[in-house]
Amino acid sequence: MSGYRVVHCGPLMLRWHKRRAILSLFLALVLLVAAVLALGAGGAAGWSAPWAGGQGKVLWDLRLPRLLLALECGAMLGLAGAALQSLTRNGLADPGLLGVREGASLAVLVLLFFVPAAAPELRPLVGLLGGVAVVAVTVLLARGGIERMRFILIGIGVSWFLSGLIALMLVAADVTMMQTAMVWLAGSLSGAAWSSVRMAALCLLIGGVLLFGTARAGDVADLGDHLGRSLGVSITRLAVVRVAAAVLLTAGCVSFCGRLGFVGLIAPHLARLSVGGGQGALLSASALWGAGLVMVADTVGRVAFAPIQIPAGIVLAVIGVPVLLGLLWCRRDRF
């Protein structure tokens, strides 16, 4: 096939597209430069005198883990969005539309309200259980079909129901607890720590391996269910693995930094416009775009209105709506 290169490594074979690989590397380079600039942005410490007066401690203990967590969570949402959009063959599919985000949020809120002394390391596990439970209910209501519009519509209904439960919990909580929960739900990364970075990296690694490991099967499945089965791809098994990876990535992100909207929806569209290609290229570019979106949103919220810090979720909502409307207009004939 034109433009493809094949690399053999023992029994393994790696196939990659030269132009798309170059574009992905360019996106990664831009993201790296932007990350360095974001790390030095702010009044408390900067690259002009990074180690003077304890500023190195600010960079290492506060900004760097926050920056890395933003990159990891953005990449997780980008991967989850790309997987769900490919699986459902719907460009409007998003982890938030399936109830995963709300389920994980509700589970973590229950932990915060009723077991306030619980270790922060428990949040990803509790969030994952909440996300899995919601997806299980959604699949059950959709009669086992996770590749059709019914799955998305039921997920939207479940999301609204869980959003109501979350609002009820916030109204019933005391003022101090409600303020803490509201800041976290808004998508704040102010509480980032190295322990969170390590756990998020583990979630990203597991979810990424599952999705990239099924990328070739996903390319075949994109040809259609019947053709995919005739070529030896188990559509049901592929769907289960990809949904499980999306749930892990989304629930993990929510557990670490609350609800970040629009990333899982917008990043795959930006990836298709900038890189295109099959599942491998789409996943790579979606992860890069997602990481960049969250990093920029967190940096803007941290710097633009200093000393007040605006949660990244709010910034994403402000910039995400115009971007989403523009993408929908440009691709209006495909929906």
Side-chain angles (χ1 to χ4, degrees), residues 139-191:
V139 171
L140 182 63
L141 294 175
R143 300 176 185 175
I146 59 178
E147 305 155 19
R148 298 291 179 264
M149 179 60 71
R150 185 195 314 170
F151 183 52
I152 298 178
L153 294 177
I154 293 177
I156 293 174
V158 173
S159 297
W160 280 105
F161 175 73
L162 295 177
S163 296
L165 292 181
I166 291 173
L168 181 62
M169 290 186 61
L170 293 177
V171 170
D174 61 82
V175 176
T176 303
M177 187 65 70
M178 183 182 68
Q179 289 179 344
T180 303
M182 287 293 291
V183 172
W184 173 76
L185 283 174
S188 175
L189 290 101
S190 58

mmCIF file of all heavy atoms in Angstrom, residues 139-191:
data_model
loop_
_atom_site.group_PDB
_atom_site.id
_atom_site.type_symbol
_atom_site.label_atom_id
_atom_site.label_comp_id
_atom_site.label_asym_id
_atom_site.label_seq_id
_atom_site.Cartn_x
_atom_site.Cartn_y
_atom_site.Cartn_z
ATOM 1 N N VAL A 139 -25.488 -1.136 29.251
ATOM 2 C CA VAL A 139 -25.477 -2.269 28.327
ATOM 3 C C VAL A 139 -26.699 -3.147 28.553
ATOM 4 O O VAL A 139 -27.332 -3.629 27.598
ATOM 5 C CB VAL A 139 -24.178 -3.080 28.493
ATOM 6 C CG1 VAL A 139 -24.250 -4.386 27.696
ATOM 7 C CG2 VAL A 139 -22.976 -2.265 28.052
ATOM 8 N N LEU A 140 -27.063 -3.360 29.821
ATOM 9 C CA LEU A 140 -28.233 -4.179 30.132
ATOM 10 C C LEU A 140 -29.505 -3.542 29.577
ATOM 11 O O LEU A 140 -30.355 -4.239 28.983
ATOM 12 C CB LEU A 140 -28.342 -4.372 31.643
ATOM 13 C CG LEU A 140 -29.493 -5.263 32.142
ATOM 14 C CD1 LEU A 140 -29.301 -6.684 31.617
ATOM 15 C CD2 LEU A 140 -29.556 -5.248 33.668
ATOM 16 N N LEU A 141 -29.639 -2.228 29.752
ATOM 17 C CA LEU A 141 -30.817 -1.545 29.232
ATOM 18 C C LEU A 141 -30.829 -1.520 27.707
ATOM 19 O O LEU A 141 -31.900 -1.506 27.085
ATOM 20 C CB LEU A 141 -30.884 -0.117 29.778
ATOM 21 C CG LEU A 141 -31.108 0.017 31.292
ATOM 22 C CD1 LEU A 141 -31.037 1.473 31.714
ATOM 23 C CD2 LEU A 141 -32.446 -0.587 31.687
ATOM 24 N N ALA A 142 -29.621 -1.507 27.100
ATOM 25 C CA ALA A 142 -29.534 -1.514 25.638
ATOM 26 C C ALA A 142 -29.620 -2.920 25.073
ATOM 27 O O ALA A 142 -29.398 -3.115 23.869
ATOM 28 C CB ALA A 142 -28.229 -0.861 25.189
ATOM 29 N N ARG A 143 -29.919 -3.910 25.944
ATOM 30 C CA ARG A 143 -30.075 -5.306 25.539
ATOM 31 C C ARG A 143 -28.804 -5.867 24.921
ATOM 32 O O ARG A 143 -28.840 -6.601 23.928
ATOM 33 C CB ARG A 143 -31.249 -5.461 24.567
ATOM 34 C CG ARG A 143 -32.575 -5.032 25.136
ATOM 35 C CD ARG A 143 -33.663 -5.105 24.103
ATOM 36 N NE ARG A 143 -34.918 -4.583 24.638
ATOM 37 C CZ ARG A 143 -36.029 -4.438 23.915
ATOM 38 N NH1 ARG A 143 -36.029 -4.794 22.633
ATOM 39 N NH2 ARG A 143 -37.113 -3.956 24.462
ATOM 40 N N GLY A 144 -27.671 -5.463 25.500
ATOM 41 C CA GLY A 144 -26.397 -6.026 25.079
ATOM 42 C C GLY A 144 -25.781 -5.410 23.850
ATOM 43 O O GLY A 144 -24.654 -5.726 23.493
ATOM 44 N N GLY A 145 -26.494 -4.518 23.173
ATOM 45 C CA GLY A 145 -25.930 -3.908 21.967
ATOM 46 C C GLY A 145 -25.149 -2.664 22.294
ATOM 47 O O GLY A 145 -25.708 -1.675 22.749
ATOM 48 N N ILE A 146 -23.841 -2.685 22.104
ATOM 49 C CA ILE A 146 -22.999 -1.534 22.448
ATOM 50 C C ILE A 146 -22.428 -0.886 21.201
ATOM 51 O O ILE A 146 -21.477 -0.109 21.284
ATOM 52 C CB ILE A 146 -21.868 -1.943 23.414
ATOM 53 C CG1 ILE A 146 -20.992 -3.015 22.783
ATOM 54 C CG2 ILE A 146 -22.434 -2.442 24.723
ATOM 55 C CD1 ILE A 146 -19.838 -3.438 23.654
ATOM 56 N N GLU A 147 -22.990 -1.182 20.051
ATOM 57 C CA GLU A 147 -22.460 -0.624 18.819
ATOM 58 C C GLU A 147 -23.515 0.182 18.065
ATOM 59 O O GLU A 147 -23.308 0.539 16.918
ATOM 60 C CB GLU A 147 -21.949 -1.753 17.910
ATOM 61 C CG GLU A 147 -20.931 -2.655 18.567
ATOM 62 C CD GLU A 147 -20.922 -4.020 17.925
ATOM 63 O OE1 GLU A 147 -21.424 -4.131 16.798
ATOM 64 O OE2 GLU A 147 -20.432 -4.969 18.549
ATOM 65 N N ARG A 148 -24.656 0.461 18.703
ATOM 66 C CA ARG A 148 -25.743 1.127 18.014
ATOM 67 C C ARG A 148 -26.121 2.414 18.731
ATOM 68 O O ARG A 148 -25.729 2.668 19.876
ATOM 69 C CB ARG A 148 -26.964 0.207 17.931
ATOM 70 C CG ARG A 148 -26.685 -1.064 17.127
ATOM 71 C CD ARG A 148 -26.500 -0.730 15.652
ATOM 72 N NE ARG A 148 -26.220 -1.948 14.887
ATOM 73 C CZ ARG A 148 -25.020 -2.359 14.565
ATOM 74 N NH1 ARG A 148 -23.968 -1.664 14.973
ATOM 75 N NH2 ARG A 148 -24.838 -3.448 13.849
ATOM 76 N N MET A 149 -26.960 3.235 18.077
ATOM 77 C CA MET A 149 -27.371 4.512 18.634
ATOM 78 C C MET A 149 -28.145 4.332 19.937
ATOM 79 O O MET A 149 -28.101 5.201 20.811
ATOM 80 C CB MET A 149 -28.224 5.252 17.600
ATOM 81 C CG MET A 149 -28.743 6.607 18.080
ATOM 82 S SD MET A 149 -27.418 7.761 18.502
ATOM 83 C CE MET A 149 -26.788 8.129 16.871
ATOM 84 N N ARG A 150 -28.837 3.217 20.095
ATOM 85 C CA ARG A 150 -29.598 2.988 21.319
ATOM 86 C C ARG A 150 -28.687 3.037 22.540
ATOM 87 O O ARG A 150 -29.070 3.547 23.607
ATOM 88 C CB ARG A 150 -30.297 1.632 21.240
ATOM 89 C CG ARG A 150 -31.213 1.367 22.429
ATOM 90 C CD ARG A 150 -31.597 -0.106 22.527
ATOM 91 N NE ARG A 150 -31.993 -0.658 21.246
ATOM 92 C CZ ARG A 150 -32.181 -1.952 21.044
ATOM 93 N NH1 ARG A 150 -32.013 -2.800 22.034
ATOM 94 N NH2 ARG A 150 -32.537 -2.410 19.854
ATOM 95 N N PHE A 151 -27.488 2.497 22.400
ATOM 96 C CA PHE A 151 -26.526 2.494 23.501
ATOM 97 C C PHE A 151 -26.204 3.923 23.927
ATOM 98 O O PHE A 151 -26.152 4.248 25.124
ATOM 99 C CB PHE A 151 -25.268 1.753 23.054
ATOM 100 C CG PHE A 151 -24.220 1.619 24.113
ATOM 101 C CD1 PHE A 151 -24.528 1.112 25.355
ATOM 102 C CD2 PHE A 151 -22.910 1.988 23.857
ATOM 103 C CE1 PHE A 151 -23.564 0.973 26.336
ATOM 104 C CE2 PHE A 151 -21.939 1.856 24.828
ATOM 105 C CZ PHE A 151 -22.268 1.351 26.064
ATOM 106 N N ILE A 152 -26.017 4.813 22.958
ATOM 107 C CA ILE A 152 -25.693 6.203 23.262
ATOM 108 C C ILE A 152 -26.880 6.913 23.890
ATOM 109 O O ILE A 152 -26.742 7.659 24.872
ATOM 110 C CB ILE A 152 -25.235 6.935 21.985
ATOM 111 C CG1 ILE A 152 -23.959 6.289 21.435
ATOM 112 C CG2 ILE A 152 -25.000 8.409 22.263
ATOM 113 C CD1 ILE A 152 -23.469 6.908 20.155
ATOM 114 N N LEU A 153 -28.075 6.697 23.346
ATOM 115 C CA LEU A 153 -29.261 7.374 23.871
ATOM 116 C C LEU A 153 -29.552 6.957 25.310
ATOM 117 O O LEU A 153 -29.877 7.791 26.161
ATOM 118 C CB LEU A 153 -30.462 7.075 22.976
ATOM 119 C CG LEU A 153 -30.389 7.644 21.554
ATOM 120 C CD1 LEU A 153 -31.605 7.217 20.748
ATOM 121 C CD2 LEU A 153 -30.274 9.160 21.590
ATOM 122 N N ILE A 154 -29.424 5.668 25.588
ATOM 123 C CA ILE A 154 -29.631 5.202 26.960
ATOM 124 C C ILE A 154 -28.540 5.758 27.873
ATOM 125 O O ILE A 154 -28.807 6.141 29.027
ATOM 126 C CB ILE A 154 -29.664 3.669 27.000
ATOM 127 C CG1 ILE A 154 -30.911 3.156 26.271
ATOM 128 C CG2 ILE A 154 -29.651 3.162 28.437
ATOM 129 C CD1 ILE A 154 -30.992 1.651 26.184
ATOM 130 N N GLY A 155 -27.320 5.824 27.361
ATOM 131 C CA GLY A 155 -26.240 6.404 28.151
ATOM 132 C C GLY A 155 -26.490 7.863 28.494
ATOM 133 O O GLY A 155 -26.188 8.318 29.604
ATOM 134 N N ILE A 156 -27.068 8.614 27.564
ATOM 135 C CA ILE A 156 -27.401 10.017 27.837
ATOM 136 C C ILE A 156 -28.442 10.102 28.951
ATOM 137 O O ILE A 156 -28.331 10.928 29.872
ATOM 138 C CB ILE A 156 -27.920 10.695 26.557
ATOM 139 C CG1 ILE A 156 -26.790 10.802 25.531
ATOM 140 C CG2 ILE A 156 -28.477 12.074 26.864
ATOM 141 C CD1 ILE A 156 -27.238 11.329 24.192
ATOM 142 N N GLY A 157 -29.472 9.234 28.871
ATOM 143 C CA GLY A 157 -30.485 9.231 29.924
ATOM 144 C C GLY A 157 -29.906 8.891 31.285
ATOM 145 O O GLY A 157 -30.228 9.532 32.296
ATOM 146 N N VAL A 158 -29.037 7.882 31.333
ATOM 147 C CA VAL A 158 -28.402 7.505 32.589
ATOM 148 C C VAL A 158 -27.525 8.647 33.111
ATOM 149 O O VAL A 158 -27.471 8.911 34.325
ATOM 150 C CB VAL A 158 -27.577 6.219 32.401
ATOM 151 C CG1 VAL A 158 -26.765 5.904 33.656
ATOM 152 C CG2 VAL A 158 -28.485 5.045 32.070
ATOM 153 N N SER A 159 -26.851 9.342 32.200
ATOM 154 C CA SER A 159 -26.002 10.464 32.607
ATOM 155 C C SER A 159 -26.817 11.556 33.284
ATOM 156 O O SER A 159 -26.418 12.101 34.324
ATOM 157 C CB SER A 159 -25.271 11.034 31.391
ATOM 158 O OG SER A 159 -24.406 10.086 30.812
ATOM 159 N N TRP A 160 -27.956 11.890 32.696
ATOM 160 C CA TRP A 160 -28.804 12.927 33.295
ATOM 161 C C TRP A 160 -29.331 12.482 34.656
ATOM 162 O O TRP A 160 -29.430 13.284 35.601
ATOM 163 C CB TRP A 160 -29.956 13.263 32.355
ATOM 164 C CG TRP A 160 -29.553 14.197 31.264
ATOM 165 C CD1 TRP A 160 -29.339 13.894 29.958
ATOM 166 C CD2 TRP A 160 -29.290 15.600 31.393
ATOM 167 N NE1 TRP A 160 -28.954 15.016 29.252
ATOM 168 C CE2 TRP A 160 -28.920 16.077 30.108
ATOM 169 C CE3 TRP A 160 -29.317 16.492 32.447
ATOM 170 C CZ2 TRP A 160 -28.603 17.403 29.868
ATOM 171 C CZ3 TRP A 160 -29.000 17.825 32.215
ATOM 172 C CH2 TRP A 160 -28.641 18.262 30.946
ATOM 173 N N PHE A 161 -29.699 11.230 34.770
ATOM 174 C CA PHE A 161 -30.181 10.717 36.051
ATOM 175 C C PHE A 161 -29.099 10.822 37.121
ATOM 176 O O PHE A 161 -29.348 11.281 38.252
ATOM 177 C CB PHE A 161 -30.641 9.266 35.890
ATOM 178 C CG PHE A 161 -31.033 8.611 37.175
ATOM 179 C CD1 PHE A 161 -32.213 8.935 37.811
ATOM 180 C CD2 PHE A 161 -30.197 7.650 37.753
ATOM 181 C CE1 PHE A 161 -32.578 8.321 39.011
ATOM 182 C CE2 PHE A 161 -30.553 7.036 38.947
ATOM 183 C CZ PHE A 161 -31.744 7.371 39.571
ATOM 184 N N LEU A 162 -27.878 10.411 36.779
ATOM 185 C CA LEU A 162 -26.784 10.485 37.738
ATOM 186 C C LEU A 162 -26.403 11.929 38.054
ATOM 187 O O LEU A 162 -26.017 12.240 39.182
ATOM 188 C CB LEU A 162 -25.566 9.733 37.195
ATOM 189 C CG LEU A 162 -25.753 8.215 37.022
ATOM 190 C CD1 LEU A 162 -24.508 7.597 36.415
ATOM 191 C CD2 LEU A 162 -26.074 7.553 38.350
ATOM 192 N N SER A 163 -26.521 12.806 37.063
ATOM 193 C CA SER A 163 -26.262 14.228 37.318
ATOM 194 C C SER A 163 -27.236 14.776 38.355
ATOM 195 O O SER A 163 -26.875 15.605 39.208
ATOM 196 C CB SER A 163 -26.362 15.021 36.023
ATOM 197 O OG SER A 163 -25.358 14.625 35.100
ATOM 198 N N GLY A 164 -28.487 14.324 38.274
ATOM 199 C CA GLY A 164 -29.468 14.735 39.283
ATOM 200 C C GLY A 164 -29.100 14.239 40.669
ATOM 201 O O GLY A 164 -29.241 14.971 41.665
ATOM 202 N N LEU A 165 -28.615 12.997 40.763
ATOM 203 C CA LEU A 165 -28.183 12.467 42.058
ATOM 204 C C LEU A 165 -26.986 13.246 42.604
ATOM 205 O O LEU A 165 -26.913 13.517 43.813
ATOM 206 C CB LEU A 165 -27.824 10.990 41.918
ATOM 207 C CG LEU A 165 -28.970 10.014 41.630
ATOM 208 C CD1 LEU A 165 -28.441 8.590 41.553
ATOM 209 C CD2 LEU A 165 -30.058 10.120 42.680
ATOM 210 N N ILE A 166 -26.075 13.606 41.714
ATOM 211 C CA ILE A 166 -24.913 14.403 42.149
ATOM 212 C C ILE A 166 -25.361 15.757 42.678
ATOM 213 O O ILE A 166 -24.899 16.227 43.736
ATOM 214 C CB ILE A 166 -23.918 14.567 40.987
ATOM 215 C CG1 ILE A 166 -23.261 13.225 40.657
ATOM 216 C CG2 ILE A 166 -22.849 15.600 41.330
ATOM 217 C CD1 ILE A 166 -22.386 13.261 39.415
ATOM 218 N N ALA A 167 -26.282 16.410 41.966
ATOM 219 C CA ALA A 167 -26.799 17.702 42.426
ATOM 220 C C ALA A 167 -27.504 17.567 43.767
ATOM 221 O O ALA A 167 -27.374 18.426 44.654
ATOM 222 C CB ALA A 167 -27.753 18.276 41.381
ATOM 223 N N LEU A 168 -28.246 16.483 43.955
ATOM 224 C CA LEU A 168 -28.934 16.248 45.226
ATOM 225 C C LEU A 168 -27.940 16.089 46.363
ATOM 226 O O LEU A 168 -28.144 16.629 47.471
ATOM 227 C CB LEU A 168 -29.816 15.011 45.108
ATOM 228 C CG LEU A 168 -30.634 14.615 46.342
ATOM 229 C CD1 LEU A 168 -31.610 15.734 46.698
ATOM 230 C CD2 LEU A 168 -31.365 13.306 46.112
ATOM 231 N N MET A 169 -26.848 15.372 46.123
ATOM 232 C CA MET A 169 -25.832 15.208 47.149
ATOM 233 C C MET A 169 -25.174 16.528 47.503
ATOM 234 O O MET A 169 -24.905 16.805 48.674
ATOM 235 C CB MET A 169 -24.773 14.205 46.685
ATOM 236 C CG MET A 169 -25.242 12.766 46.612
ATOM 237 S SD MET A 169 -23.877 11.630 46.219
ATOM 238 C CE MET A 169 -22.801 11.910 47.621
ATOM 239 N N LEU A 170 -24.932 17.357 46.514
ATOM 240 C CA LEU A 170 -24.295 18.648 46.776
ATOM 241 C C LEU A 170 -25.210 19.562 47.576
ATOM 242 O O LEU A 170 -24.767 20.296 48.469
ATOM 243 C CB LEU A 170 -23.910 19.314 45.452
ATOM 244 C CG LEU A 170 -22.802 18.629 44.646
ATOM 245 C CD1 LEU A 170 -22.581 19.349 43.323
ATOM 246 C CD2 LEU A 170 -21.497 18.581 45.441
ATOM 247 N N VAL A 171 -26.500 19.528 47.268
ATOM 248 C CA VAL A 171 -27.445 20.371 47.995
ATOM 249 C C VAL A 171 -27.557 19.929 49.455
ATOM 250 O O VAL A 171 -27.668 20.757 50.364
ATOM 251 C CB VAL A 171 -28.831 20.325 47.315
ATOM 252 C CG1 VAL A 171 -29.886 20.992 48.183
ATOM 253 C CG2 VAL A 171 -28.769 21.013 45.964
ATOM 254 N N ALA A 172 -27.485 18.627 49.684
ATOM 255 C CA ALA A 172 -27.638 18.109 51.050
ATOM 256 C C ALA A 172 -26.364 18.203 51.869
ATOM 257 O O ALA A 172 -26.403 18.043 53.090
ATOM 258 C CB ALA A 172 -28.106 16.654 50.995
ATOM 259 N N ALA A 173 -25.228 18.456 51.238
ATOM 260 C CA ALA A 173 -23.952 18.491 51.951
ATOM 261 C C ALA A 173 -23.778 19.819 52.676
ATOM 262 O O ALA A 173 -24.430 20.823 52.362
ATOM 263 C CB ALA A 173 -22.799 18.256 50.988
ATOM 264 N N ASP A 174 -22.873 19.830 53.663
ATOM 265 C CA ASP A 174 -22.571 21.083 54.349
ATOM 266 C C ASP A 174 -21.745 21.979 53.435
ATOM 267 O O ASP A 174 -21.203 21.544 52.416
ATOM 268 C CB ASP A 174 -21.822 20.813 55.657
ATOM 269 C CG ASP A 174 -20.487 20.122 55.424
ATOM 270 O OD1 ASP A 174 -19.512 20.810 55.111
ATOM 271 O OD2 ASP A 174 -20.439 18.878 55.525
ATOM 272 N N VAL A 175 -21.647 23.245 53.811
ATOM 273 C CA VAL A 175 -21.057 24.249 52.922
ATOM 274 C C VAL A 175 -19.602 23.931 52.609
ATOM 275 O O VAL A 175 -19.169 23.997 51.452
ATOM 276 C CB VAL A 175 -21.173 25.648 53.558
ATOM 277 C CG1 VAL A 175 -20.477 26.691 52.667
ATOM 278 C CG2 VAL A 175 -22.626 26.022 53.781
ATOM 279 N N THR A 176 -18.822 23.567 53.620
ATOM 280 C CA THR A 176 -17.402 23.298 53.396
ATOM 281 C C THR A 176 -17.198 22.117 52.452
ATOM 282 O O THR A 176 -16.416 22.184 51.499
ATOM 283 C CB THR A 176 -16.693 23.013 54.728
ATOM 284 O OG1 THR A 176 -16.887 24.119 55.607
ATOM 285 C CG2 THR A 176 -15.206 22.796 54.506
ATOM 286 N N MET A 177 -17.915 21.043 52.707
ATOM 287 C CA MET A 177 -17.786 19.872 51.853
ATOM 288 C C MET A 177 -18.279 20.153 50.442
ATOM 289 O O MET A 177 -17.713 19.676 49.456
ATOM 290 C CB MET A 177 -18.555 18.700 52.460
ATOM 291 C CG MET A 177 -18.352 17.383 51.739
ATOM 292 S SD MET A 177 -16.645 16.774 51.842
ATOM 293 C CE MET A 177 -16.578 16.328 53.578
ATOM 294 N N MET A 178 -19.343 20.955 50.335
ATOM 295 C CA MET A 178 -19.893 21.269 49.022
ATOM 296 C C MET A 178 -18.896 22.086 48.199
ATOM 297 O O MET A 178 -18.736 21.861 47.001
ATOM 298 C CB MET A 178 -21.203 22.041 49.157
ATOM 299 C CG MET A 178 -21.878 22.352 47.825
ATOM 300 S SD MET A 178 -23.389 23.319 48.006
ATOM 301 C CE MET A 178 -22.700 24.885 48.581
ATOM 302 N N GLN A 179 -18.223 23.054 48.830
ATOM 303 C CA GLN A 179 -17.242 23.863 48.107
ATOM 304 C C GLN A 179 -16.095 22.995 47.595
ATOM 305 O O GLN A 179 -15.661 23.134 46.445
ATOM 306 C CB GLN A 179 -16.712 24.970 49.023
ATOM 307 C CG GLN A 179 -17.720 26.063 49.319
ATOM 308 C CD GLN A 179 -17.156 27.112 50.249
ATOM 309 O OE1 GLN A 179 -16.131 26.907 50.905
ATOM 310 N NE2 GLN A 179 -17.828 28.253 50.326
ATOM 311 N N THR A 180 -15.604 22.093 48.434
ATOM 312 C CA THR A 180 -14.529 21.198 48.007
ATOM 313 C C THR A 180 -14.971 20.330 46.843
ATOM 314 O O THR A 180 -14.233 20.152 45.860
ATOM 315 C CB THR A 180 -14.083 20.316 49.180
ATOM 316 O OG1 THR A 180 -13.665 21.145 50.268
ATOM 317 C CG2 THR A 180 -12.940 19.407 48.763
ATOM 318 N N ALA A 181 -16.177 19.781 46.946
ATOM 319 C CA ALA A 181 -16.686 18.913 45.891
ATOM 320 C C ALA A 181 -16.931 19.680 44.601
ATOM 321 O O ALA A 181 -16.659 19.176 43.503
ATOM 322 C CB ALA A 181 -17.978 18.237 46.354
ATOM 323 N N MET A 182 -17.428 20.909 44.706
ATOM 324 C CA MET A 182 -17.710 21.703 43.509
ATOM 325 C C MET A 182 -16.432 22.028 42.748
ATOM 326 O O MET A 182 -16.397 21.969 41.517
ATOM 327 C CB MET A 182 -18.442 22.989 43.894
ATOM 328 C CG MET A 182 -19.888 22.783 44.301
ATOM 329 S SD MET A 182 -20.922 22.250 42.923
ATOM 330 C CE MET A 182 -20.921 23.732 41.928
ATOM 331 N N VAL A 183 -15.378 22.383 43.479
ATOM 332 C CA VAL A 183 -14.100 22.686 42.824
ATOM 333 C C VAL A 183 -13.560 21.444 42.123
ATOM 334 O O VAL A 183 -13.081 21.506 40.985
ATOM 335 C CB VAL A 183 -13.082 23.222 43.853
ATOM 336 C CG1 VAL A 183 -11.696 23.339 43.216
ATOM 337 C CG2 VAL A 183 -13.527 24.568 44.389
ATOM 338 N N TRP A 184 -13.663 20.300 42.780
ATOM 339 C CA TRP A 184 -13.174 19.054 42.170
ATOM 340 C C TRP A 184 -14.018 18.680 40.957
ATOM 341 O O TRP A 184 -13.480 18.301 39.909
ATOM 342 C CB TRP A 184 -13.205 17.937 43.204
ATOM 343 C CG TRP A 184 -12.887 16.604 42.629
ATOM 344 C CD1 TRP A 184 -11.655 16.134 42.269
ATOM 345 C CD2 TRP A 184 -13.810 15.561 42.314
ATOM 346 N NE1 TRP A 184 -11.759 14.864 41.761
ATOM 347 C CE2 TRP A 184 -13.070 14.488 41.776
ATOM 348 C CE3 TRP A 184 -15.191 15.426 42.443
ATOM 349 C CZ2 TRP A 184 -13.680 13.303 41.368
ATOM 350 C CZ3 TRP A 184 -15.794 14.251 42.037
ATOM 351 C CH2 TRP A 184 -15.037 13.212 41.504
ATOM 352 N N LEU A 185 -15.342 18.787 41.070
ATOM 353 C CA LEU A 185 -16.213 18.435 39.951
ATOM 354 C C LEU A 185 -16.003 19.349 38.754
ATOM 355 O O LEU A 185 -16.226 18.950 37.609
ATOM 356 C CB LEU A 185 -17.681 18.498 40.387
ATOM 357 C CG LEU A 185 -18.192 17.337 41.234
ATOM 358 C CD1 LEU A 185 -19.603 17.625 41.706
ATOM 359 C CD2 LEU A 185 -18.145 16.033 40.452
ATOM 360 N N ALA A 186 -15.589 20.593 39.006
ATOM 361 C CA ALA A 186 -15.377 21.537 37.905
ATOM 362 C C ALA A 186 -14.156 21.197 37.068
ATOM 363 O O ALA A 186 -13.936 21.824 36.026
ATOM 364 C CB ALA A 186 -15.251 22.961 38.450
ATOM 365 N N GLY A 187 -13.377 20.227 37.485
ATOM 366 C CA GLY A 187 -12.211 19.820 36.713
ATOM 367 C C GLY A 187 -10.951 20.548 37.129
ATOM 368 O O GLY A 187 -10.251 21.114 36.289
ATOM 369 N N SER A 188 -10.657 20.531 38.416
ATOM 370 C CA SER A 188 -9.488 21.233 38.928
ATOM 371 C C SER A 188 -8.311 20.285 39.084
ATOM 372 O O SER A 188 -8.465 19.151 39.556
ATOM 373 C CB SER A 188 -9.815 21.878 40.284
ATOM 374 O OG SER A 188 -8.662 22.460 40.854
ATOM 375 N N LEU A 189 -7.128 20.748 38.694
ATOM 376 C CA LEU A 189 -5.900 19.983 38.869
ATOM 377 C C LEU A 189 -5.018 20.577 39.953
ATOM 378 O O LEU A 189 -3.834 20.252 40.037
ATOM 379 C CB LEU A 189 -5.112 19.916 37.555
ATOM 380 C CG LEU A 189 -5.725 19.062 36.457
ATOM 381 C CD1 LEU A 189 -6.422 19.955 35.426
ATOM 382 C CD2 LEU A 189 -4.693 18.200 35.779
ATOM 383 N N SER A 190 -5.579 21.432 40.803
ATOM 384 C CA SER A 190 -4.776 22.114 41.818
ATOM 385 C C SER A 190 -4.248 21.147 42.870
ATOM 386 O O SER A 190 -3.257 21.443 43.534
ATOM 387 C CB SER A 190 -5.611 23.209 42.489
ATOM 388 O OG SER A 190 -6.786 22.662 43.067
ATOM 389 N N GLY A 191 -4.901 20.015 43.048
ATOM 390 C CA GLY A 191 -4.440 19.062 44.047
ATOM 391 C C GLY A 191 -3.517 17.994 43.501
ATOM 392 O O GLY A 191 -3.340 16.944 44.141
#
